[in-house]
Amino acid sequence: MSKIVLTGAAGALGGRLRAPLARLADTLVSTDLAESLDGLADNETYVKADVGDAAAMMELIEGADMVVHFGAIPDEAPFEEILHSNFLGAYNVWNAAQKHGTRRIIYASSIHAMGMYPKTVQITTDMPHRPDTFYGLSKCFAEDMASMYWDKYGLEAVCLRIYSASGPVQNARALGSWLSYDDLIQLVEKSVTSPITGFAVIYGVSNNDRSPVDNSKASFLGYRPKDNAEDYAAEILAKTPVADPQDKGQMCHGGPFATVPLGVSGVQFIKKMSEGN
Amino acid sequence: MSKIVLTGAAGALGGRLRAPLARLADTLVSTDLAESLDGLADNETYVKADVGDAAAMMELIEGADMVVHFGAIPDEAPFEEILHSNFLGAYNVWNAAQKHGTRRIIYASSIHAMGMYPKTVQITTDMPHRPDTFYGLSKCFAEDMASMYWDKYGLEAVCLRIYSASGPVQNARALGSWLSYDDLIQLVEKSVTSPITGFAVIYGVSNNDRSPVDNSKASFLGYRPKDNAEDYAAEILAKTPVADPQDKGQMCHGGPFATVPLGVSGVQFIKKMSEGN
Amino acid sequence: MSKIVLTGAAGALGGRLRAPLARLADTLVSTDLAESLDGLADNETYVKADVGDAAAMMELIEGADMVVHFGAIPDEAPFEEILHSNFLGAYNVWNAAQKHGTRRIIYASSIHAMGMYPKTVQITTDMPHRPDTFYGLSKCFAEDMASMYWDKYGLEAVCLRIYSASGPVQNARALGSWLSYDDLIQLVEKSVTSPITGFAVIYGVSNNDRSPVDNSKASFLGYRPKDNAEDYAAEILAKTPVADPQDKGQMCHGGPFATVPLGVSGVQFIKKMSEGN
Amino acid sequence: MSKIVLTGAAGALGGRLRAPLARLADTLVSTDLAESLDGLADNETYVKADVGDAAAMMELIEGADMVVHFGAIPDEAPFEEILHSNFLGAYNVWNAAQKHGTRRIIYASSIHAMGMYPKTVQITTDMPHRPDTFYGLSKCFAEDMASMYWDKYGLEAVCLRIYSASGPVQNARALGSWLSYDDLIQLVEKSVTSPITGFAVIYGVSNNDRSPVDNSKASFLGYRPKDNAEDYAAEILAKTPVADPQDKGQMCHGGPFATVPLGVSGVQFIKKMSEGN
Amino acid sequence: MSKIVLTGAAGALGGRLRAPLARLADTLVSTDLAESLDGLADNETYVKADVGDAAAMMELIEGADMVVHFGAIPDEAPFEEILHSNFLGAYNVWNAAQKHGTRRIIYASSIHAMGMYPKTVQITTDMPHRPDTFYGLSKCFAEDMASMYWDKYGLEAVCLRIYSASGPVQNARALGSWLSYDDLIQLVEKSVTSPITGFAVIYGVSNNDRSPVDNSKASFLGYRPKDNAEDYAAEILAKTPVADPQDKGQMCHGGPFATVPLGVSGVQFIKKMSEGN
Amino acid sequence: MSKIVLTGAAGALGGRLRAPLARLADTLVSTDLAESLDGLADNETYVKADVGDAAAMMELIEGADMVVHFGAIPDEAPFEEILHSNFLGAYNVWNAAQKHGTRRIIYASSIHAMGMYPKTVQITTDMPHRPDTFYGLSKCFAEDMASMYWDKYGLEAVCLRIYSASGPVQNARALGSWLSYDDLIQLVEKSVTSPITGFAVIYGVSNNDRSPVDNSKASFLGYRPKDNAEDYAAEILAKTPVADPQDKGQMCHGGPFATVPLGVSGVQFIKKMSEGN
């Protein structure tokens, strides 16, 4: 592969993808809002750019075989902010990729596109959306757009519905929803190296005993996670207060995002909750 | 009912809804981009406003029991135009309705949210989106947002996936997809008067022999169309050229919208096609 | 057909079935708790008996080709009462029918076996039970028992999930759920005269525009209702107060039965509600 | 349309299609094993030929826009006979149609492709095959072949799973399964005149109250039958003996074909059964 | 957790749960019909009581956070006996739990709620019931009741459809259906410690190669069995006589329970079968 | 077991089954078109015969408990050749087996019965056929015939939809579709030794990370493959050219068979493709 563009390269997840992606292409072009990035690989270039800037994206993506699009606000925020970075950002990427003949986009979608389903409903990759926040709604938008560009122009896309990507497992919800960094990297690698993907959706969850999602319809991608949050179960359950099944924040896949008012940070809420445990 | 707000009141469809809606509420507030409207009902007020103007929508919707939201660009157009009128317009309406405690929104969604499904696949009201244009993508967005506001705030919504609303049946595609104006009015009336709707999706299609949609899961709304495009079948089929099943514009539900490049008017294309027949 | 046994013959529904059933067999044996019945048909015999009395049922059903089992408490009641009349009554009937080689049982099941599903979910004849009351739970029991006697002994059964059987349509809920007496009679007649039924489940609902059920999988029974509650819609909706979609009694198929505490009469509640309208 | 070829033109069903098809094309070429046909339309030519004769089919189909393929043994028979007329016949037709660029084949498939499903299971157009005879197996073969030629070469096909096509309704089974001749003609006409069909399957059943099939997924074809076997119900049920639900011939969609040994005429069996009633 | 009540504590399965449950709560109250139990844990109390005794259950369950309800006749028996211990017993437990505000019930349901499905049909956790015995019918009853108490009162329940719980694998059927005691214990522990369960159904089967059930929709519970009956396969298959696929006792999930007449012990039958091998 | 007949015993797959099958029966009768076979087991007899020869098959199968039917042209070929060896061959085997009271047939079906489904659609064991070649069509035929003989005569069948059975993994497609020889042997052994199978369909695929099939509904057979093509992934992907998702040969399950014209060898095509890589 000649060139991969990675957006969101300075982020908590994007940053971990730089080295693996650099190994998969002749050139990796990393981009984000930061001034610069440390530790560039030999074949890696960094360009400061805003995904919400159409011209910048059009320029960056020229000649790219694939785009790994992780650049966006990674939290619930007021609609206007989400609109710029997450809606427009995604549009700019797909529009540029189509114009330039890019073959595939790997997209950091999110569980929050499906966050209002109760956890007692196992969610598959072909059920209708049920977002929990403006953040989740922007993921629905990009997935539907990805489906359209595939149907109309043959531009492939793999939408990764990332659940709880983090280092150590942080709370009871994550016993089911955790995605280890290693498994995230595997997921992105498989999405890049699969010969054919068409338009595909897959959940980004580790091999957790309590995983509440069904990836079977995307089995052809060959994603087989290795880590298991159950290693943390005894310790975490011991300090978890009694849950209230009538509370959407506890009953729904979206977790706290299913409870916070629209426009209000869910990440802050989760942080408090984890500290509180 | 005290007050209904109708957006898009000067449009081809919205205009036909003014009189019926005026009969269902104490006050009807009609709005659109036009300077004024002719033939206001006694209890109807007209306010010129842009649905893309958040403050205007917030003011208009105050005190409304229901909003019938038909105001948007009714055709494919460049993304930026769709973004303003169709995406932002819908967001402004839902946001204002939630803030003001409005009970229900009746929304002019469209078949183009599902336009890339082949016609040989009968589409239901609970299959994933498959939009064919930026126009269709904006309908997906509003439907997902409607689902979210219902899940989080209990704001009801009926999303009408309007197919080919027109006067006389105009081409072979419309033999299946036609929605007569009378049936459109019935559909909106039932959506307004149903005691309970939650979040509902329903196709706006007449009682055509060749109807390619399945509304059974929304049967509780009681929509029972009366008109049937088959009355026009012999005449129209006689002048229809041989179809090409490999052409998405003829094979897909979205019709010409499934073929036109993104951002290019599909209505113009249909017009030519009908004249050409 | 030689002999039909009708239980619940003195009830509001059972009483209406006496004449039609008398026309379908050489002998009709009617039974209920009443001392006697007026207007016996020439080939009709009345026997006072309690369906909860095993010996009485064993005696009555001897020689019967079919049993039309409508005898039970037709309302929510304390568990012990439901246990005797509805659970034990059904068991006594199936047990006797199997011992005597009866060919088929037509059973008055009820929508309340499915009452906790939201109305916005169209219910089919092969979804899992979701009862709303002890009354509904007894219907689940009899349906499962009917399935078992068919699987193990070849004893046929048609379970009629009767919705709102009444004279005139009484409230907004019944615009969807009404079953006219004529349609009830047709339903029972078809269940009796169908050459083959195996184990079948079918909803007892008229041809209402707003019917929220799907009988398609029992289409072979040929039940095609004639009446339509929509004739009453304008009048009833005009006097219906605003509904609260968060209230299970308004949102669920079971209606008030979905709200009343277990063991408390739902019929009284409906009565008040209708009068209140 | 320039040219239609009709095979089986001398048969009980094919014969009824000649006049309607002659009206839909410039030229109708009818073919069968008979020496000649009476009453040729002005634009109709008759050619004696065996569908099992590859060269004959190749010659006949040259220049045809559509083939209406009804030529086959219309009954169960020894495998070798079915192989020649029904398997090879169908292959010859598809092979020739593909070679000559024919646009669409309308195929007389049969309920016997699905005959072993119990009648209490409503059969749809997208369930797996479950044939009851070699005759039914040949229909499965042709349907699968039709799917393949569509997938590989874009050759359209409408497979009509004809149930009980006959004049008056003849027995209790036909109360559900009857297909009147008028409805058969409508079905073929719609299959010919639909602008697009792709690969489609549809049951050939009239608008019977007791119809045990679900054609909803082929609704786009616009087939809306007019006749209803229920007009004959009272008379026929009165003389129908008690059915045995353990007998596959009575319980299964295929009727007597589900009981007769493979290779033995089911039509004879039905005849006896109808006379016996 | 403060207090767990375990019914059926003297039984073959209940007895194995005492020690694990004692570790999960401050207090374990064990109950059964036996006079006393050996080996009480330090925090375990034993109370002799009949689950069919409403007052006794009401008293025992007061203050309980959870009830693990295993007390019932573990075999087919005459209806009257099943009615008392299994139907009434379950009702008494749910009624008391609801009155006392208990949070969750873990219920020993059984495969026999689904026993009449053929083994060649993989059974899921959301298919309709198909019981094989009065015993199985009582499990259907309790599951439906559990669903109702969850829907109406928010009382959680996990229904364990235990298949063949035993020590060593005993016959060919158990190669698919075996549940080792260790896996049973894991299943109950997970059901107790899961923060949220709502109303859930899950099969109690080990990690057998031949497992004929699908637990995927309950994956959020995190039950991951460790044992595998395949270790016994060679030995058992060698002594298994030829099976008859027309025999429901061999073809159906319920095994011998699918064949024994209603009311007759299936356990005795299985015993003979295993010895006979 | 007394006697097993193996057809296709000289073939690439059949040859590997001889020793394992010889261990499972008193007598193994191997047959193929070759003059003789090397290395006969002590209890193995070889008979030269053509599966297309009805009399030969009738004689061979007499007294057989099971037939393992692998004899057929293992590639696309002109229809007439496929007709003789694959269609007639299968018919001869089923017909003889039924006449002689054989209990079960293990059949080498193929992925090519489903080859036209896109790889991005996970295929299950109960979806309709979608063959890609005459070869695949013959597999559809035999599967439907197998279903019929089970429904009508109780003759069991396990249809193995073998995907890419080979030694080392040969190309990128096989990373998902590979079936190792050891796993093939396990699959056949489990099919033979399972006490009950009825009519079953199962995919022959190893435990590949990228397996694109779903065998869950045949889980009762206990097939648990051990090998994983992922061991070859890095090496193979490194030399795989960029795939074209619009090419059916790359996008569909059937691989090159989905692209080659009907009647033209797909195996040659695959060979070239693998060498080309």
Side-chain angles (χ1 to χ4, degrees), chain D residues 186-203:
Chain D
Q186 185 206 148
L187 182 56
V188 171
E189 286 175 341
K190 289 278 173 69
S191 300
V192 168
T193 61
S194 280
I196 298 259
T197 67
F199 166 70
V201 172
I202 186 167
Y203 290 97

Side-chain angles (χ1 to χ4, degrees), chain A residues 79-80 83 87-88 91 95 116-117 126-134 137 140-141 144-145 147-153 248 256-262, chain B residues 79-80 83 87-88 91 95 116-117 126-134 137 140-141 144-145 147-153 248 256-262:
Chain A
F79 184 73
E80 292 70 19
L83 184 66
F87 282 88
L88 272 181
Y91 166 69
N95 182 43
M116 296 309 297
Y117 282 99
D126 59 358
M127 290 161 75
H129 290 137
R130 215 166 151 186
D132 55 20
T133 45
F134 295 137
L137 188 57
C140 300
F141 163 79
D144 286 341
M145 184 168 59
S147 152
M148 182 172 71
Y149 273 90
W150 162 247
D151 276 336
K152 294 201 74 151
Y153 296 118
K248 288 174 186 169
F257 279 60
T259 329
V260 294
L262 292 175
Chain B
F79 185 73
E80 293 70 19
L83 184 66
F87 281 88
L88 272 181
Y91 165 68
N95 182 43
M116 296 309 296
Y117 281 99
D126 58 359
M127 289 161 76
H129 290 136
R130 216 166 149 184
D132 54 21
T133 45
F134 295 138
L137 187 57
C140 300
F141 164 79
D144 286 341
M145 184 168 59
S147 152
M148 181 172 72
Y149 274 91
W150 162 248
D151 275 336
K152 294 200 74 150
Y153 295 119
K248 288 175 186 168
F257 279 58
T259 329
V260 295
L262 292 175

Side-chain angles (χ1 to χ4, degrees), chain F residues 86-147:
Chain F
N86 298 26
F87 281 88
L88 273 181
Y91 166 68
N92 289 337
V93 165
W94 258 273
N95 182 43
Q98 188 268 323
K99 293 291 187 300
H100 290 310
T102 295
R103 199 170 127 223
R104 186 181 302 164
I105 297 171
I106 319 298
Y107 174 61
S109 184
S110 162
I111 184 63
H112 298 293
M114 307 292 280
M116 297 308 298
Y117 281 98
K119 270 188 206 174
T120 48
V121 171
Q122 192 191 39
I123 45 178
T124 66
T125 56
D126 58 359
M127 289 161 75
H129 290 136
R130 214 165 152 185
D132 55 22
T133 44
F134 296 137
Y135 173 73
L137 188 57
S138 74
K139 301 303 185 184
C140 300
F141 163 80
E143 288 188 2
D144 286 341
M145 184 167 60
S147 152

Side-chain angles (χ1 to χ4, degrees), chain C residues 20 24 39 59 75 91-93 102 142 157 160 180 207 273 275 277:
Chain C
L24 292 172
E59 189 179 338
D75 189 8
Y91 166 69
N92 290 337
V93 165
T102 296
L160 316 175
S180 75
N207 184 29
M273 190 179 74
E275 287 165 354
N277 289 342

Side-chain angles (χ1 to χ4, degrees), chain A residues 42-247:
Chain A
D42 289 349
N43 62 340
E44 185 182 9
T45 314
Y46 178 75
V47 181
K48 179 186 172 185
D50 179 355
V51 293
D53 175 344
M57 288 304 109
M58 190 61 80
E59 189 180 338
L60 266 180
I61 289 171
E62 185 168 8
D65 298 293
M66 296 197 188
V67 180
V68 179
H69 179 42
F70 273 62
I73 298 174
D75 189 8
E76 177 62 343
F79 184 73
E80 292 70 19
E81 298 177 26
I82 296 288
L83 184 66
H84 176 80
S85 301
N86 298 27
F87 282 88
L88 272 181
Y91 166 69
N92 290 337
V93 165
W94 258 273
N95 182 43
Q98 190 268 324
K99 293 290 186 299
H100 290 309
T102 296
R103 198 167 129 227
R104 187 182 299 165
I105 297 171
I106 319 296
Y107 175 60
S109 183
S110 161
I111 184 63
H112 297 293
M114 305 293 278
M116 296 309 297
Y117 282 99
K119 272 187 203 173
T120 49
V121 171
Q122 192 190 38
I123 46 178
T124 68
T125 55
D126 59 358
M127 290 161 75
H129 290 137
R130 215 166 151 186
D132 55 20
T133 45
F134 295 137
Y135 173 74
L137 188 57
S138 74
K139 302 302 185 184
C140 300
F141 163 79
E143 289 188 1
D144 286 341
M145 184 168 59
S147 152
M148 182 172 71
Y149 273 90
W150 162 247
D151 276 336
K152 294 201 74 151
Y153 296 118
L155 172 52
E156 292 191 321
V158 185
C159 299
L160 316 176
R161 288 194 187 147
I162 295 170
Y163 218 136
S164 305
S166 70
V169 178
Q170 293 177 323
N171 50 46
R173 173 174 173 256
L175 292 176
S177 66
W178 185 53
L179 175 65
S180 75
Y181 292 135
D182 283 353
D183 285 333
L184 167 67
I185 290 169
Q186 186 206 149
L187 182 56
V188 171
E189 286 175 339
K190 290 278 172 70
S191 300
V192 168
T193 62
S194 280
I196 299 260
T197 67
F199 166 69
V201 171
I202 186 167
Y203 290 96
V205 177
S206 280
N207 185 29
N208 308 320
D209 282 1
R210 301 171 198 250
S211 166
V213 303
D214 176 3
N215 267 335
S216 59
K217 287 182 184 159
S219 66
F220 71 94
L221 287 174
Y223 170 59
R224 292 293 175 272
K226 307 292 183 206
D227 295 313
N228 188 336
E230 202 64 16
D231 302 340
Y232 302 77
E235 179 193 357
I236 281 179
L237 288 174
K239 61 181 185 183
T240 301
V242 172
D244 174 5
Q246 304 305 318
D247 172 9

Side-chain angles (χ1 to χ4, degrees), chain E residues 42-267:
Chain E
D42 288 349
N43 62 339
E44 183 182 11
T45 315
Y46 179 75
V47 181
K48 179 186 171 183
D50 179 356
V51 293
D53 175 345
M57 288 303 108
M58 189 61 80
E59 190 179 335
L60 267 179
I61 290 170
E62 185 169 6
D65 298 292
M66 295 199 189
V67 180
V68 179
H69 179 42
F70 273 62
I73 298 175
D75 189 8
E76 177 63 344
F79 184 73
E80 291 70 18
E81 296 177 27
I82 295 288
L83 183 66
H84 176 79
S85 299
N86 299 27
F87 282 87
L88 273 180
Y91 165 68
N92 289 337
V93 165
W94 259 272
N95 182 44
Q98 188 268 324
K99 293 290 188 299
H100 290 309
T102 296
R103 198 169 128 225
R104 187 183 301 165
I105 296 171
I106 319 298
Y107 175 60
S109 184
S110 161
I111 185 63
H112 298 292
M114 306 292 280
M116 296 309 296
Y117 281 98
K119 271 188 205 175
T120 49
V121 171
Q122 191 189 40
I123 45 178
T124 67
T125 56
D126 58 359
M127 291 162 73
H129 290 135
R130 214 164 152 188
D132 56 20
T133 45
F134 295 138
Y135 172 74
L137 187 58
S138 73
K139 301 303 185 184
C140 301
F141 163 80
E143 288 188 2
D144 285 341
M145 184 167 60
S147 152
M148 182 171 71
Y149 274 90
W150 162 247
D151 276 335
K152 295 199 74 149
Y153 296 118
L155 172 52
E156 293 190 320
V158 186
C159 298
L160 317 175
R161 286 193 187 151
I162 296 169
Y163 218 136
S164 305
S166 69
V169 177
Q170 294 177 324
N171 51 47
R173 173 174 173 254
L175 292 176
S177 66
W178 186 51
L179 174 65
S180 75
Y181 292 136
D182 283 354
D183 285 333
L184 167 68
I185 290 169
Q186 186 205 146
L187 181 57
V188 171
E189 285 174 341
K190 289 277 174 68
S191 301
V192 167
T193 61
S194 281
I196 299 262
T197 66
F199 165 70
V201 172
I202 186 168
Y203 290 96
V205 177
S206 280
N207 184 29
N208 308 319
D209 282 1
R210 302 171 197 250
S211 167
V213 302
D214 175 1
N215 267 336
S216 61
K217 289 185 184 155
S219 67
F220 72 95
L221 287 173
Y223 169 60
R224 292 294 175 269
K226 308 291 183 204
D227 295 312
N228 187 336
E230 202 65 15
D231 302 339
Y232 303 77
E235 178 193 359
I236 282 179
L237 288 174
K239 63 182 185 181
T240 301
V242 172
D244 173 6
Q246 305 303 318
D247 172 8
K248 289 175 187 167
Q250 299 190 61
M251 187 38 122
C252 291
H253 280 279
F257 280 59
T259 330
V260 294
L262 292 175
V264 171
S265 167
V267 169

Side-chain angles (χ1 to χ4, degrees), chain F residues 16 43 48 62 79 88 97 105 136 174 205-206 239 270:
Chain F
R16 284 181 166 80
N43 62 340
K48 179 186 173 187
E62 185 170 6
F79 185 72
L88 273 181
I105 297 171
V205 177
S206 279
K239 61 179 186 185
I270 291 178

